[in-house]
């Protein structure tokens, strides 16, 4: 956890009998927030109806930035950069350059209007922008993977669970190889 800009390790050692997942937020609550009255009509309908969400994701334009995203996820972004700074100090002391590679889930690539894709894209854009401000090398694999998929769609993810398949790993490896080779020049 991040408290007063200091990282504190919690839940270590790992508890053998984890707590029930009941009551943990669902993705839709994380993306749209848990206070529906503050959401737009479209967001309220998407939260209540799976059918409307499918229609919305396929037919309606992608909603613009939700200012509440920043408020809801500010802690996660601060935590990421605190963890990164700790990692970067360790790398620097060993004369190793630390690089951030932003990966994508299948929804960001194949269903860019979906709630999951919006959630991923929010973090992708924020991390890339913050990385540029901090002068951190950020390889935006997610955005490049999405761009390549638009040009030449392929089967890069397993259909049921959305993890990269062998071909997807090859595409990601190519993206990383190209990006890292330009860093060495």
């Amino acid at each position: 956890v991040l408290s007063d800009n200091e990282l504190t390790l919690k839940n270590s050692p790992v508890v053998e009998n984890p707590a029930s997942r009941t009551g943990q937020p669902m993705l839709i609550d994380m993306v749209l927030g848990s206070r529906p009255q503050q959401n737009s009509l479209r967001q309220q309908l998407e939260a209540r109806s799976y059918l409307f969400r499918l229609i919305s994701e396929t037919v309606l334009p992608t909603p613009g930035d939700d200012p509440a995203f920043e408020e809801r996820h500010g802690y996660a972004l601060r935590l990421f950069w605190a963890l990164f700074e700790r990692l970067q100090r360790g790398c620097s002391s060993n004369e190793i350059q630390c690089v951030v590679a932003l990966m994508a889930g299948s929804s960001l690539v194949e269903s860019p209007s979906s709630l999951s894709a919006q959630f991923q894209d929010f973090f992708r854009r924020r991390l890339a922008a913050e990385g540029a401000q901090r002068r951190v090398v950020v390889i935006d694999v997610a955005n490049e993977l999405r761009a390549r998929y638009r040009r030449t769609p392929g089967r890069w993810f397993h259909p049921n669970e959305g993890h990269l398949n062998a071909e997807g790993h090859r595409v990601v490896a190519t993206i990383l190889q190209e990006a890292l080779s330009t860093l060495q020049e």
Side-chain angles (χ1 to χ4, degrees):
V1 295
L2 183 62
S3 177
D4 297 326
N5 289 327
E6 289 293 321
L7 287 169
T8 306
L9 185 61
K10 295 276 187 170
N11 298 325
S12 180
V14 176
V15 181
E16 286 196 29
N17 296 324
S20 168
R21 294 188 58 86
T22 306
Q24 288 189 349
M26 294 177 57
L27 177 61
I28 194 161
D29 293 329
M30 292 173 69
V31 175
L32 298 178
S34 57
R35 290 175 263 161
Q37 67 277 12
Q38 295 177 343
N39 295 328
S40 69
L41 177 60
R42 177 180 175 174
Q43 290 171 329
Q44 291 177 40
L45 291 170
E46 285 177 345
R48 290 186 181 143
S49 168
Y50 181 73
L51 181 59
F52 183 81
R53 191 174 342 143
L54 287 175
I55 293 168
S56 172
E57 291 170 358
T58 10
V59 178
L60 299 175
T62 304
D65 275 346
D66 180 354
F69 263 40
E70 199 76 45
E71 181 182 327
R72 275 195 300 276
H73 305 297
Y75 173 79
L77 292 166
R78 289 189 308 277
L79 177 61
F80 173 86
W81 287 110
L83 290 167
F84 179 79
E85 286 170 2
R86 170 95 42 102
L87 177 66
Q88 192 173 37
R89 281 194 303 268
C91 288
S92 294
S93 68
N94 289 297
E95 299 179 13
I96 298 170
Q97 181 183 13
C98 195
V99 175
V100 174
L102 302 175
M103 279 299 299
S106 62
S107 61
L108 183 72
V109 174
E110 298 175 338
S111 306
S113 296
S114 69
L115 288 173
S116 174
Q118 291 174 50
F119 187 65
Q120 292 177 61
D121 199 47
F122 166 79
F123 281 102
R124 182 195 66 76
R125 288 182 287 114
R126 290 304 184 279
L127 293 173
E130 181 80 13
Q133 287 181 344
R134 292 172 179 257
R135 300 190 195 302
V136 171
V137 176
V138 175
I139 301 173
D140 196 346
V141 177
N143 201 40
E144 182 60 26
L145 193 61
R146 182 170 49 184
R148 289 180 188 209
Y149 185 82
R150 277 190 221 126
R151 289 191 303 268
T152 54
R155 292 188 158 253
W156 299 341
F157 297 92
H158 290 285
N160 296 325
E161 87 282 336
H163 293 98
L164 288 168
N165 61 24
E167 182 59 26
H169 282 288
R170 277 190 283 281
V171 174
V172 168
T174 300
I175 293 168
L176 287 170
Q177 183 179 25
E178 291 168 359
L180 292 171
S181 69
T182 62
L183 291 178
Q184 295 171 351
E185 294 174 356

